[in-house]
Amino acid sequence: MPTIYDLKPAFQSVLRPIVRVLANRGITANQITLAALGLSVVWGGLIALTQGALWTLWMLPVVLFVRMALNAIDGMLAKEHDMKSDLGAMLNEMGDVLSDTALYLPFAMIEGVSPLWVTLFVIVAILTEMAGILGAVIGKTRRYDGPMGKSDRAFVIGSTALVLGLGMTPYLWVNGVLMIATILASWTVLRRCQKGLV
């Protein structure tokens, strides 16, 4: 099933000159991974502390895009510039889950948004990444199947945040988006488990 992840090769091509500059300056993949996590924690904290101030929401798509770029860059540094390590692999997987949680859970603080659906969405997002990793754990391949992978979740949340940041009242439509996204993420968990066993 098509997913935004399929655009990764083209995105990497655009980022490759930046990756070469960073590698030449001695910036490591692990430093980029930690920078992405730090950005996510700081911005998620701002959303929570301000209970979803409009400026924190309409800027969230930019933050998510930068985080996505950093995630691509750390992988390219590791694979293309001989920076692979067990620590890096662990930081990468843990960083993704922690970043998702830090950026998405604060939506529960926004008036009119259901804390239940936010929490369920975050839990299923974590399970999605776990299901992807388990394919490699049992000796098969790391799974990135959709329809609600990491990039797809970022697109859904970023788009929702942008609409909220432009002043639209939350109420039922946001909860509907979260409900549909959670259902699609649950389907993604099942697909990744199924494909991981093949």
Side-chain angles (χ1 to χ4, degrees):
M1 176 168 291
T3 175
I4 294 175
Y5 183 80
D6 296 334
L7 300 175
K8 186 175 181 179
F11 191 44
Q12 287 178 324
S13 295
V14 174
L15 294 173
R16 192 157 279 112
I18 298 173
V19 172
R20 283 196 292 266
V21 170
L22 292 173
N24 290 336
R25 293 188 177 182
I27 304 298
T28 69
N30 289 352
Q31 288 172 334
I32 297 297
T33 302
L34 292 174
L37 176 57
L39 173 65
S40 300
V41 170
V42 168
W43 207 263
L46 288 173
I47 295 173
L49 288 172
T50 63
Q51 296 185 335
L54 296 185
W55 64 273
T56 65
L57 295 175
W58 63 254
M59 277 294 293
L60 183 58
V62 176
V63 172
L64 287 167
F65 181 81
V66 172
R67 177 202 160 193
M68 184 168 58
L70 292 173
N71 285 341
I73 288 169
D74 69 3
M76 294 168 71
L77 282 170
K79 293 174 184 176
E80 299 175 10
H81 294 273
D82 197 27
M83 296 185 190
K84 280 187 177 181
S85 68
D86 291 342
L87 174 61
M90 190 172 292
L91 284 176
N92 185 59
E93 297 295 348
M94 291 293 291
D96 283 345
V97 171
L98 291 172
S99 292
D100 272 3
T101 303
L103 287 170
Y104 303 158
L105 202 55
F107 274 70
M109 306 289 290
I110 301 174
E111 184 178 356
V113 178
S114 167
L116 173 62
W117 279 112
V118 173
T119 303
L120 287 174
F121 177 73
V122 171
I123 290 172
V124 178
I126 293 170
L127 291 176
T128 299
E129 296 310 304
M130 183 181 294
I133 296 167
L134 286 175
V137 170
I138 63 175
K140 303 296 175 57
T141 59
R142 172 67 159 91
R143 302 305 309 179
Y144 296 97
D145 308 270
M148 195 55 62
K150 180 175 63 178
S151 300
D152 306 291
R153 294 193 300 270
F155 177 79
V156 169
I157 294 298
S159 300
T160 301
L162 180 60
V163 173
L164 289 174
L166 293 175
M168 181 173 283
T169 306
Y171 295 123
L172 294 178
W173 74 270
V174 173
N175 298 326
V177 167
L178 288 169
M179 180 177 67
I180 293 169
T182 302
I183 291 170
L184 291 174
S186 299
W187 182 21
T188 302
V189 172
L190 294 175
R191 291 192 77 237
R192 289 187 177 186
C193 288
Q194 181 185 36
K195 298 285 187 179
L197 290 170
V198 176

